[in-house]
Amino acid sequence: MPATTTAPTTTATGSDPGDRAPGLIGAATDLLLGSRCAGCAVPRWGVCPECRAALSGQRPRSVVPDPSPSGFPPTFAAADYAGVCARLVAAYKEEQVLTARGPLAAALSRAVAALLTDRAGPVLLVPMPSAPQAVRRRGLDATGDLARGCARLLRRQGRQVGVRAVLRQQRRVADQAGLSARERQRNLAGALRASGRWPAGVPAVIVDDVTTTGASLAEAARALRGVGIEVCGAAVVAATRRTGGSRR
Ligand SMILES: [Zn+2]
């Protein structure tokens, strides 16, 4: 790939400490006002053992959207996007409930391990980029932080896994909610670009929290392959179970 600027590996918000404030305020509020499990709302600090078990008790499964967007990479999901899992994802991404990150990163690591079952050697996780305005609003780089937590867990299991945040949104995209699979793919076509240094011969695993139609993962794979990066697949915390006529 072309040698361009070195990609920042953390948030896209730069080093202004004010950018992190919403996350910190959320964490402080948790401490001051008492805390609840983000999966079931039982009063306690952090995610309760039952909700952790609900998430870890599912076997990672291969995800094949129907219809499958062209270029959709082989993808594994750790759980179905429903119930406890959906509540933990929403709490982490939208309410900055940081205690949900550990269980979600563990789930993501199981999906990555399932994808890499027959594959040895180093890989780099590439988090799906959030829109810069979403990172500012949330005060954290939710998917990037999830990827880093996931990589730490996999390294502890002896795998050579790093994180390279080389994907950027190169234009605004419309809100995906309410769009059909085909409309989503059109909405996202050409939306991402890859830039930054990449070690030769190391394949990428795209990681994200949730996949619905697969359009985002297909677009990410296109952008990476376009600069010569091998994509061995994608891993997500959760995938929606799509039924006939459903747009999720
Ligand atoms: Zn719970």
Side-chain angles (χ1 to χ4, degrees):
M1 65 189 293
T4 53
T5 55
T6 304
T9 51
T10 54
T11 69
T13 54
S15 56
D16 179 358
D19 288 338
R20 309 292 293 184
L24 293 176
I25 290 167
T29 308
D30 280 354
L31 281 171
L32 289 172
L33 300 182
S35 199
R36 290 175 180 278
C37 168
C40 67
V42 67
R44 62 161 284 132
W45 170 251
V47 177
C48 77
E50 288 76 16
C51 287
R52 284 174 187 269
L55 196 57
S56 64
Q58 300 187 48
R59 254 176 83 106
R61 64 180 170 93
S62 165
V63 177
V64 184
D66 178 24
S68 185
S70 81
F72 183 75
T75 297
F76 277 80
D80 289 337
Y81 186 66
V84 167
C85 176
R87 288 193 291 275
L88 290 178
V89 169
Y92 173 59
K93 283 197 75 170
E94 304 305 330
E95 297 162 43
Q96 294 84 45
V97 178
L98 299 184
T99 53
R101 182 165 60 209
L104 294 174
L108 186 59
S109 75
R110 289 190 292 276
V112 173
L115 174 75
L116 299 177
T117 297
D118 298 320
R119 192 159 184 139
V123 299
L124 284 169
L125 308 183
V126 178
M128 190 66 80
S130 305
Q133 59 270 27
V135 174
R136 275 195 295 276
R137 191 183 69 235
R138 293 172 182 150
L140 81 167
D141 173 17
T143 313
D145 289 347
L146 207 55
R148 285 180 281 277
C150 169
R152 273 194 297 277
L153 290 168
L154 290 165
R155 283 196 295 273
R156 264 182 235 156
Q157 296 164 20
R159 287 186 177 271
Q160 296 170 267
V161 179
V163 177
R164 272 297 155 98
V166 293
L167 289 175
R168 297 282 174 279
Q169 287 198 353
Q170 59 181 351
R171 62 170 172 79
R172 273 174 184 263
V173 296
D175 189 347
Q176 297 277 86
L179 299 184
S180 72
R182 224 172 278 281
E183 287 163 344
R184 282 183 183 219
Q185 203 174 1
R186 262 203 302 276
N187 183 38
L188 286 173
L192 300 179
R193 69 182 168 85
S195 68
R197 275 181 284 184
W198 189 272
V202 176
V205 174
I206 302 158
V207 294
D208 202 0
D209 48 5
V210 180
T211 187
T212 53
T213 63
S216 303
L217 296 177
E219 169 59 16
R222 181 206 60 76
L224 293 170
R225 290 170 182 144
V227 294
I229 296 172
E230 181 199 349
V231 176
C232 60
V236 293
V237 172
T240 53
R241 287 266 183 206
R242 299 185 68 224
T243 52
S246 168
R247 293 189 156 197
R248 291 281 340 211

